[in-house]
Amino acid sequence: MSRPVPRRAALVNLGCRVNRVELDSMATRLEAAGFVLTGEADADYIVINTCAVTGEAEAKTRKAIRHAAARPQEPLVVATGCVASLFADELAALSPNVRVVANKREVADFVISLAEANPTEPRETEAFAPAHSSVTPTGRTRPGVQVQDGCDNRCTYCIIWKARGKARSFDPEGIVDEVRAAMGRGAHEVVLTGINLGDYRWGSGEGRMRLPGLLALLLERTGVERLRLSSIEPPDVTEELVRLMAASDGRIAPFLHICLQSGCDDTLRRMARVYRTGLFRENVERAREPMPDVALGTDLIVGFPGETDEQFEESLAFCEEMRFAKMHIFRYSRRPGTPAAEFDDQVPPQVMAERSRRAHELAARMRSQEAARLVGKRDLVVVQYPGRAVSGGLFDVEVDPAVPTDTLLPVVFGGVRADGTLVAR
């Protein structure tokens, strides 16, 4: 039996964790206004949160917008995010039913106002039951809370600082409220995110609050069972931060995603990164001293302009020395509008492909080795899907399929699969 349904909105994320968190905020606002979240094929409105991190990502953005705008139901497509900030006119020209709203905080209200200004009879369709969990409208069991935006660094491969603007931090009182709200929706773990998370700073002078102060405030003012940090820069792995993590009794996840990009100092210099491998090594040792089981994640770019075979080998050897448990590996993608796009000695695609293959091979081997170190140890895992959970160190964990999703489950790791998945007993 069919029934009328309210306006439907589809939300499409392209890009980083911060984009996903921003999309969750839009989804929450739209649901509160009576919208139903659905797939693109059934949507009256399609919101696309765009990504400009590489030329390839920008091309995917344009393709996604054209594809959404051409759907038979003729939805109104709202483009927002980094590409919308940089190339609003170009995106608007892709189709008559595309609108560009660069400010993400205005997107939900923009869609709501359009729906109110253009009332139509609800379409007849099969009864729709949202498939998402109780924690976020978009079905995520570990919701994110954005605490910072923008970046003051000027890495030569990056355009995000142009799209996002200068670094700015959000009011800690509002962050406390958001964490409490996530807990009220059933969240056991909350992920703190930002474009340059470690650059969080609120206030001025001696009383200025940095990231460790924000974490301490959240531990004191909320009952959140586990906080997790998204990626941070190497200089931000401070003594104060790691001591707080170690003393939190698991309430701050024992995981640090520290952005590396290259394990070769010559390449880091051409990237205009704000550290060298010596500082990276020193801060990893600082983290492991109070937290021997801390898991490390990182980002690695292979094939950066001018990277020689010897420099790649140096980078790979440094990664192995650091014992990363999780690596995001990217082939360098020429991003128009950045200094690196004009560098000489662009690396041939076939060379990048081989370097990527070897880096992925190393990453898989290290992940299995790091997982094996945890066998016999206890942890709390968040069940994300039937039979699947995630550990404090962000390892995949096999659990009893009968355990409900959105459960925080104490386990002992009894073994490890070949792919690095831990098995709970």
Side-chain angles (χ1 to χ4, degrees):
M1 181 177 178
S2 63
R3 62 174 176 82
V5 296
R7 288 296 187 128
R8 295 183 169 210
L11 295 99
V12 179
N13 182 64
L14 302 172
C16 64
R17 180 184 292 276
V18 176
N19 271 16
R20 292 197 296 271
V21 172
E22 291 164 339
L23 212 63
D24 279 341
S25 296
M26 297 176 206
T28 298
R29 176 77 178 94
L30 290 172
E31 278 200 327
F35 280 74
V36 169
L37 303 184
T38 187
E40 289 186 58
D42 294 321
D44 304 299
Y45 299 88
I46 300 176
V47 176
I48 299 179
N49 201 3
T50 65
C51 178
V53 68
T54 64
E56 181 181 356
E58 185 185 328
K60 288 181 179 179
T61 283
R62 296 172 190 272
K63 181 178 180 181
I65 292 172
R66 284 193 294 265
H67 181 73
R71 287 190 172 274
Q73 77 271 27
E74 298 182 342
L76 192 140
V77 179
V78 179
T80 189
C82 291
V83 180
S85 296
L86 294 167
F87 307 110
D89 291 343
E90 294 178 27
L91 295 188
L94 292 176
S95 174
N97 55 326
V98 172
R99 303 292 184 272
V100 178
V101 181
N103 188 336
K104 299 180 187 184
R105 293 175 180 268
E106 297 176 356
V107 169
D109 287 340
F110 177 77
V111 172
I112 293 165
S113 66
L114 286 176
E116 291 173 346
N118 299 281
T120 60
E121 288 297 316
R123 290 179 287 112
E124 288 286 322
T125 186
E126 292 300 312
F128 178 76
H132 57 70
S133 75
S134 61
V135 178
T136 70
T138 53
R140 296 169 60 210
T141 55
R142 299 182 299 119
V145 170
Q146 186 179 1
V147 307
Q148 185 273 345
D149 202 354
C151 184
D152 295 333
N153 297 333
R154 299 291 184 268
C155 301
T156 57
Y157 54 81
C158 185
I159 202 169
I160 300 305
W161 63 272
K162 291 184 180 179
R164 292 270 184 172
K166 293 182 178 181
R168 55 203 181 277
S169 301
F170 301 157
D171 187 338
E173 292 298 327
I175 296 168
V176 167
D177 290 342
E178 286 197 53
V179 170
R180 287 174 175 167
M183 293 169 56
R185 295 190 297 269
H188 299 286
E189 176 177 304
V190 175
V191 184
L192 301 186
T193 68
I195 295 301
N196 190 351
L197 177 64
D199 195 33
Y200 182 87
R201 56 189 75 205
W202 184 262
S204 59
E206 293 185 3
R208 171 176 286 186
M209 178 181 289
R210 299 300 306 270
L211 182 60
L214 176 63
L215 288 167
L217 180 71
L218 293 172
L219 293 177
E220 177 187 350
R221 297 270 301 277
T222 78
V224 66
E225 290 158 286
R226 189 156 71 196
L227 293 168
R228 183 181 297 278
L229 301 178
S230 62
S231 61
I232 62 174
E233 295 293 307
D236 298 319
V237 184
T238 62
E239 183 74 23
E240 185 181 6
L241 176 64
V242 299
R243 292 296 172 187
L244 179 67
M245 292 177 65
S248 71
D249 195 26
R251 290 186 67 198
I252 303 175
F255 179 81
L256 285 169
H257 186 103
I258 313 172
C259 303
L260 176 62
Q261 310 305 357
S262 175
C264 169
D265 285 344
D266 287 340
T267 305
L268 290 173
R269 191 173 296 108
R270 292 196 303 278
M271 291 177 169
R273 296 291 284 166
V274 296
Y275 56 87
R276 299 294 180 261
T277 54
L279 182 142
F280 196 103
R281 179 186 292 108
E282 178 184 330
N283 286 1
V284 164
E285 291 171 354
R286 170 183 290 149
R288 282 185 168 141
E289 180 185 350
M291 296 184 291
D293 292 330
V294 66
L296 300 181
T298 201
D299 299 321
L300 181 72
I301 297 173
V302 300
F304 188 75
E307 183 185 61
T308 65
D309 289 341
E310 292 76 16
Q311 289 169 346
F312 170 70
E313 295 296 341
E314 184 180 338
S315 183
L316 211 60
F318 185 80
C319 290
E320 186 164 18
E321 179 189 347
M322 293 299 101
R323 294 177 20 220
F324 292 118
K326 189 176 182 66
M327 291 177 65
H328 294 156
I329 298 160
F330 305 91
R331 303 181 200 183
Y332 170 74
S333 177
R334 208 166 186 168
R335 167 69 262 186
T338 63
E342 307 303 320
F343 285 178
D344 294 331
D345 300 326
Q346 298 286 326
V347 176
Q350 63 271 22
V351 174
M352 282 196 280
E354 173 60 16
R355 291 178 184 175
S356 176
R357 183 195 67 76
R358 288 189 57 201
H360 277 95
E361 186 178 78
L362 172 64
R365 175 161 53 84
M366 288 194 297
R367 184 162 180 79
S368 293
Q369 291 170 343
E370 293 304 300
R373 296 174 189 271
L374 299 177
V375 172
K377 297 187 177 181
R378 300 178 181 274
D379 199 356
L380 290 173
V381 301
V382 178
V383 181
Q384 296 189 284
Y385 311 100
R388 232 1 118 131
V390 64
S391 74
L394 216 57
F395 288 96
D396 294 325
V397 183
E398 284 185 16
V399 296
D400 184 347
V403 178
T405 58
D406 302 343
T407 297
L408 190 67
L409 181 70
V411 300
V412 174
F413 300 126
V416 60
R417 303 292 187 204
D419 65 354
T421 299
L422 287 159
V423 180
R425 69 181 187 206

